[in-house]
Amino acid sequence: MEPKRIFVTGNAGFIGFHLAQRLLADGHVVTGYDGVTDYYDVSLKRARLALLAEQPNFTFVEAMLEDGARLKQALAESGAQWVFHLGAQAGVRYSIEHPQSYVQSNLVGTSNLLEAARETPPEHLIFASTSSVYGGNTKIPFAETDRADSPVSLYAATKKSGEAMVHSYSHLWGIAATSVRFFTVYGPWGRPDMALFKFVSAMQQDRAIDIYGEGKMRRDFTYVDDLVDALVRLAGAPPVKGQPVKGDSLSAVAPYRVVNIAGGKPSELMAFVAAVENAMGRKAKHNMLPMQQGDVVATQSDTALLHELIGVLPETPIEVGVARFVEWYRHYYGVN
């Protein structure tokens, strides 16, 4: 593929960092944009940025999504052909206690990004959404064409709103856009507020791990490298109005579609815990707890559209992905 100029919001974050690394390795020119907020350990974000800064084709702009003027300037100066909008306030549970941060980052920030894209349209805009938008849906697996009108967290509601905003700009201004719904992404450099990080940290300190839903929840775990590979492949397949593929979610009025990214092979939470125990070489103390507000019992992706568009699916086994995280964690924190 010919090198592209690419704009990535949220590149100091877990997935944005991995995506930027992959794009740079592929020879693309990347401009990153991130506010480096203190939602979690800022030093972890700075460490990610330091690795990216070693690459000559990487430029970083430290600013908030809420700063519409700075965002417009940065996107225009990047000359981006692809835009990946991963910047957001993440976390289901945090949204219950800090709703305004989600409104500002996920709604106002996305609105600003879309206004910037309207003035300097990319060839393809990819918006990071979440499987959480399926909310209270009881039909499994979740398909892109299913209704997603019952969010059970504000985080999910802001992401579904973001999808609607992206669709409207795609329709009004002809911007080719894809909303990608991520399913429980994990891997090295992951967020400290996510289950895998918490499990390993607790076990390292010989503390009990909190297992919600009494361990009966199921998740379509997606290893971060698989997700990034799917994102890059999807970027090269922008939707075209009036040209659907088999099983498409393509809009009838815009060059816009929704795509799930996952392997479609959910695992029981206790199987995930067993993979962590195996990688750590020890058994964990289990603190069984009821489900938390905003959680759902199970997620599973319908992967037919993703496979139709890019020909492959995420397939890294959880045992392999978890072991890679544990290896990174021990190296990063200098523990055995």
Side-chain angles (χ1 to χ4, degrees):
M1 182 185 296
E2 200 172 300
K4 297 276 188 181
R5 295 182 304 280
I6 303 171
F7 192 79
V8 180
T9 70
N11 73 283
F14 167 41
I15 298 172
F17 160 71
H18 280 280
L19 174 62
Q21 270 200 322
R22 165 64 186 272
L23 293 170
L24 291 164
D26 287 350
H28 300 296
V29 177
V30 177
T31 297
Y33 188 100
D34 198 297
V36 196
T37 65
D38 62 358
Y39 168 57
Y40 61 82
D41 185 6
V42 172
S43 66
L44 183 60
K45 297 182 178 183
R46 294 292 180 194
R48 294 174 185 142
L49 287 171
L51 288 176
L52 294 175
E54 295 174 359
Q55 303 298 316
N57 285 339
F58 179 70
T59 300
F60 178 58
V61 178
E62 184 169 339
M64 300 292 284
L65 292 169
E66 294 91 324
D67 187 345
R70 187 70 185 94
L71 185 53
K72 281 186 181 181
Q73 180 187 14
L75 182 57
E77 290 177 350
S78 74
Q81 296 158 289
W82 292 349
V83 173
F84 291 89
H85 181 36
L86 277 67
Q89 176 59 60
V92 169
R93 295 167 194 130
Y94 190 75
S95 69
I96 296 171
E97 300 170 1
H98 302 87
Q100 276 304 313
S101 63
Y102 290 78
V103 172
Q104 291 301 312
S105 181
N106 300 3
L107 298 181
V108 175
T110 296
S111 173
N112 288 340
L113 186 280
L114 290 170
E115 271 296 289
R118 178 178 67 83
E119 294 192 4
T120 52
E123 295 172 6
H124 194 182
L125 168 66
I126 297 92
F127 171 70
S129 187
T130 170
S131 62
S132 296
V133 301
Y134 291 110
N137 287 17
T138 55
K139 172 185 166 291
I140 295 284
F142 301 144
E144 296 89 345
T145 52
D146 294 343
R147 293 179 67 90
D149 300 323
S150 304
V152 295
S153 70
L154 180 63
Y155 168 65
T158 61
K159 282 298 188 178
K160 187 59 166 58
S161 299
E163 291 183 9
M165 288 193 287
V166 174
H167 178 271
S168 68
Y169 271 70
S170 178
H171 166 68
L172 291 168
W173 310 109
I175 301 170
T178 302
S179 288
V180 283
R181 293 173 177 170
F182 299 161
F183 283 68
T184 316
V185 187
Y186 73 100
W189 294 97
R191 298 201 324 258
D193 64 318
M194 298 181 75
L196 177 55
F197 204 115
K198 288 182 174 181
F199 289 167
V200 172
S201 179
M203 290 176 66
Q204 194 68 42
Q205 299 170 44
D206 199 32
R207 293 185 287 107
I209 63 174
D210 291 336
I211 301 176
Y212 292 98
E214 307 292 343
K216 297 175 183 176
M217 295 192 295
R218 297 168 69 241
R219 291 290 183 268
D220 205 337
F221 294 101
T222 311
Y223 187 62
V224 66
D225 287 353
D226 292 341
L227 177 110
V228 164
D229 184 61
L231 281 174
V232 174
R233 290 171 183 266
L234 282 171
V240 179
K241 184 180 175 182
Q243 296 184 23
V245 300
K246 182 180 178 183
D248 214 341
S249 60
L250 185 68
S251 169
V253 296
Y256 170 90
R257 65 164 55 97
V258 176
V259 183
N260 292 335
I261 299 184
K265 299 175 181 177
S267 298
E268 299 286 346
L269 179 56
M270 294 312 297
F272 193 74
V273 170
V276 177
E277 293 174 330
N278 186 59
M280 294 286 288
R282 69 191 75 167
K283 287 290 184 182
K285 302 171 186 175
H286 299 173
N287 182 27
M288 309 302 279
L289 297 167
M291 280 183 60
Q292 290 190 303
Q293 277 187 301
D295 264 347
V296 296
V297 174
T299 66
Q300 180 180 351
S301 171
D302 185 319
T303 59
L305 179 56
L306 179 64
H307 190 269
E308 182 70 24
L309 291 168
I310 67 173
V312 297
L313 293 173
E315 59 180 17
T316 299
I318 58 172
E319 295 80 9
V320 173
V322 166
R324 289 174 183 168
F325 175 85
V326 171
E327 181 182 11
W328 166 81
Y329 182 97
R330 286 173 166 166
H331 180 265
Y332 182 78
Y333 289 103
V335 296
N336 294 317

